[in-house]
Amino acid sequence: MRKNIEKVASIVLMSVLTISASFAQNDADLFRFSKHYHGGSARFEAMGGAFGALGADISSVQVNPAGIGRFSSSQFSLSLGPTINSTNASFMGTDTKTVKTSFSVPSFGVVLTKDLSSRNKGDMYSQFAFGMNRLAHYNQKTTIEGVQFPSLLDNFIGQANGYYPEELSQFFPFSTSLAYESYSIDYDSISNSYTSYLNSGDMKMKREIATKGGINEFFLSYSRNRMNRLYYGVALNIRTYNYIESYVHSEDLTVADPDFNGFDYEYTLRTKGTGVNLKLGAIYLITDGFRIGASFHTPTYIAMEDKWTATMTGRFKEGNYSVPEQLVPKAQYKYRMITPLRAVVSASYVIGMSAVISGDIEYTGYNMGRLRSTTDVTYEPYDFDIENADAKARLTNALNYRLGAEFNIQQKFFIRAGFALYGNAYRKTENIDPKPDISYSGGLGYKIGRFSLDVAYVNRNMQRTYYSFIGSNVADTRLSNNSIVISGSIRF
């Protein structure tokens, strides 16, 4: 057991099935940081990210680094845009909708192209590129509310029984100790047991969850063009992970009590990390129109750090009782994570100068993800054997599909459309992400001389189940991510 890590003491409070509110490193973290998408430039987004055999876009490097080999001139590009996330939650017959808007930089980058054709050795161009693509966007709000019989206080009492009040801060600092210090549960020294102020009525529960942050992938790539037929490339990628989650869990008695009204429990988690991976790829033109591509993404090796805190307030008729500031717990822990490898096969068909159709099939081995102990000697090592075995049993591997099309109108104007389906990361029996994530996209482009201006709209839909605590009824959530991306590029 990890005695020095207070986080584990609270794992009993929350179901390990909870995706967005876990107290310890487990399969929920592997899911969150492994199931990401391919975001980037407006052209890339409008065509569903299906660029594995197409290339010639700064964001294609994240699917297949050989795509940069399709550049015959140098280029700078920048993308900006807002994202509107809406969440519909259904819990015990009550439906709620929350909306959050944010602004981000989905992509930027520079391609530096060198003409090698004068050497007459078959190599036409080489390219060195660097930049960033945003892979995940966590900014959203979720509200879950409804009436149910179980209460979070039942879990707190279940933890507390068998322990004296002075032991609670040692064994359950982020849960039961807070309930005791806020007078939401009480101790009977005669029976050596704990009781709460709950009556025979139900509890009106409301949980407000706010998350923000994302995953950015910074890349350095090198590629070559061989006889305008074979393109190959490699990319070294540094990923930055930033995830902040905070929620307020409130409960109120549905049957009036002369003393007790309810309570508010607050929890905040901050996760930061840096990871590295390598991508290799090639594109081959079977004919001038028909192209195939393949790429391999190594697992991403990440150094993570979690910081978390919690507090609680008991609401009584005579006033509120909050946990004293000096008793509010804070903790942190470092660990490592390995997110799974990916392999992509692609094909595209170019119809003269008038149209392009492109598709990718991507394999992701979610059950290959692993948690590892930190190498920082200031933290007690931990083997994560139980957590990794659980993750392997619950997670699966999946196929992701991306399709895109582009139509050239009057040479300068382009119309684009895309579709993407991301397979389930959890086994269907787990009922965590019960249906594949699906996105629809479209966009327009305009080219004049060395300048290009593109705009895209992306609608991504996800379904998740959420368990507030052990014994709680399940909430079904539907997440809709709506993004507008505007990109500008200049060739030089």
Side-chain angles (χ1 to χ4, degrees):
M1 297 298 292
R2 190 191 316 158
K3 296 180 180 178
N4 292 347
I5 306 173
E6 297 171 317
K7 199 176 183 180
V8 172
S10 297
I11 189 63
V12 239
L13 165 64
M14 293 294 175
S15 168
V16 292
L17 299 177
T18 302
I19 290 303
S20 55
S22 49
F23 275 72
Q25 298 84 17
N26 53 40
D27 56 89
D29 300 271
L30 289 170
F31 173 85
R32 179 185 302 118
F33 298 122
S34 297
K35 192 168 187 177
H36 55 72
Y37 310 95
H38 294 291
S41 71
R43 182 176 180 236
F44 181 90
E45 292 270 38
M47 296 178 65
F51 271 74
L54 195 57
D57 187 280
I58 192 67
S59 294
S60 66
V61 67
Q62 63 185 290
V63 178
N64 186 347
I68 301 297
R70 295 282 300 162
F71 282 94
S72 57
S73 61
S74 299
Q75 179 176 296
F76 167 77
S77 66
L78 173 67
S79 302
L80 304 169
T83 299
I84 302 173
N85 285 318
S86 64
T87 306
N88 290 277
S90 179
F91 180 70
M92 300 302 291
T94 301
D95 296 326
T96 56
K97 181 178 180 179
T98 49
V99 178
K100 186 174 183 179
T101 302
S102 57
F103 187 86
S104 66
V105 178
S107 174
F108 68 83
V110 175
V111 179
L112 301 175
T113 301
K114 184 178 181 179
D115 190 341
L116 305 177
S117 58
S118 60
R119 298 179 182 179
N120 196 27
K121 294 183 178 180
D123 289 331
M124 306 300 293
Y125 298 95
S126 67
Q127 301 84 10
F128 174 74
F130 59 92
M132 183 277 292
N133 291 295
R134 192 168 179 85
L135 304 185
H137 196 71
Y138 297 128
N139 293 1
Q140 67 184 53
K141 288 184 178 180
T142 303
T143 299
I144 299 169
E145 58 182 328
V147 175
Q148 66 172 355
F149 176 75
S151 169
L152 184 58
L153 294 184
D154 296 326
N155 282 259
F156 290 151
I157 290 175
Q159 283 185 337
N161 284 327
Y163 294 87
Y164 292 107
E166 57 270 20
E167 295 178 306
L168 297 181
S169 61
Q170 176 185 354
F171 292 98
F172 310 108
F174 293 90
S175 52
T176 305
S177 176
L178 302 178
Y180 179 76
E181 297 296 339
S182 63
Y183 297 94
S184 299
I185 63 174
D186 202 3
Y187 176 68
D188 185 347
S189 59
I190 298 177
S191 62
N192 191 27
S193 64
Y194 293 83
T195 59
S196 71
Y197 288 92
L198 301 179
N199 54 38
S200 58
D202 292 334
M203 299 297 293
K204 181 180 179 181
M205 189 197 84
K206 182 177 183 180
R207 179 172 287 207
E208 296 179 298
I209 309 157
T211 60
K212 58 183 179 180
I215 303 175
N216 291 330
E217 183 173 77
F218 297 85
F219 63 88
L220 291 171
S221 76
Y222 182 78
S223 53
R224 283 209 174 197
N225 169 346
R226 179 76 176 174
M227 299 292 292
N228 289 329
R229 186 66 63 180
L230 174 65
Y231 306 84
Y232 54 94
V234 59
L236 174 65
N237 306 281
I238 305 296
R239 290 182 181 176
T240 59
Y241 297 79
N242 183 31
Y243 178 76
I244 301 176
E245 176 187 342
S246 59
Y247 68 79
V248 179
H249 179 99
S250 300
E251 293 187 21
D252 294 271
L253 295 171
T254 58
V255 176
D257 183 89
D259 299 312
F260 187 62
N261 289 328
F263 66 91
D264 304 307
Y265 175 84
E266 301 177 39
Y267 173 76
T268 299
L269 168 68
R270 292 178 171 86
T271 300
K272 287 188 176 183
T274 303
V276 61
N277 68 36
L278 195 68
K279 298 179 184 179
L280 306 170
I283 295 174
Y284 184 73
L285 275 63
I286 296 178
T287 67
D288 288 342
F290 183 53
R291 307 163 184 184
I292 58 174
S295 61
F296 175 77
H297 307 180
T298 70
T300 304
Y301 298 85
I302 315 166
M304 289 285 198
E305 181 180 42
D306 285 358
K307 294 182 179 180
W308 63 100
T309 186
T311 190
M312 190 166 177
T313 298
R315 291 182 273 107
F316 294 82
K317 294 291 192 301
E318 63 181 32
N320 298 337
Y321 294 93
S322 298
V323 176
E325 182 64 29
Q326 66 272 21
L327 297 180
V328 172
K330 296 179 181 179
Q332 65 185 60
Y333 186 65
K334 290 183 178 180
Y335 59 103
R336 293 178 295 159
M337 179 185 296
I338 303 173
T339 58
L341 61 82
R342 295 175 183 244
V344 187
V345 292
S346 312
S348 66
Y349 190 75
V350 180
I351 307 170
M353 297 293 292
S354 59
V356 174
I357 300 174
S358 185
D360 297 339
I361 300 176
E362 179 180 78
Y363 167 83
T364 304
Y366 290 111
N367 59 4
M368 299 179 187
R370 294 292 180 268
L371 296 164
R372 293 286 185 262
S373 181
T374 181
T375 57
D376 191 331
V377 295
T378 60
Y379 293 86
E380 183 176 343
Y382 182 68
D383 56 25
F384 287 105
D385 286 346
I386 295 175
E387 292 81 358
N388 286 329
D390 189 55
K392 186 175 182 180
R394 303 183 67 206
L395 294 168
T396 185
N397 41 33
L399 292 177
N400 305 324
Y401 303 90
R402 296 186 291 271
L403 295 172
E406 179 180 72
F407 301 92
N408 189 346
I409 301 174
Q410 296 180 349
Q411 295 185 341
K412 295 181 181 180
F413 294 95
F414 299 83
I415 297 177
R416 302 169 181 132
F419 169 81
L421 183 149
Y422 288 81
N424 303 68
Y426 276 92
R427 300 182 188 275
K428 289 187 177 181
T429 53
E430 299 295 331
N431 194 34
I432 298 298
D433 55 339
K435 292 185 178 181
D437 299 349
I438 294 176
S439 70
Y440 304 91
S441 55
L444 300 172
Y446 177 73
K447 288 185 178 180
I448 180 169
R450 296 177 176 271
F451 298 92
S452 298
L453 182 64
D454 303 290
V455 61
Y457 168 74
V458 184
N459 170 248
R460 182 172 289 117
N461 298 283
M462 298 155 276
Q463 293 188 27
R464 302 286 187 266
T465 53
Y466 188 96
Y467 300 83
S468 296
F469 54 86
I470 294 175
S472 173
N473 291 286
V474 63
D476 295 312
T477 65
R478 296 176 181 269
L479 316 175
S480 179
N481 178 292
N482 301 277
S483 300
I484 295 175
V485 181
I486 301 173
S487 300
S489 63
I490 180 171
R491 293 177 292 280
F492 58 92

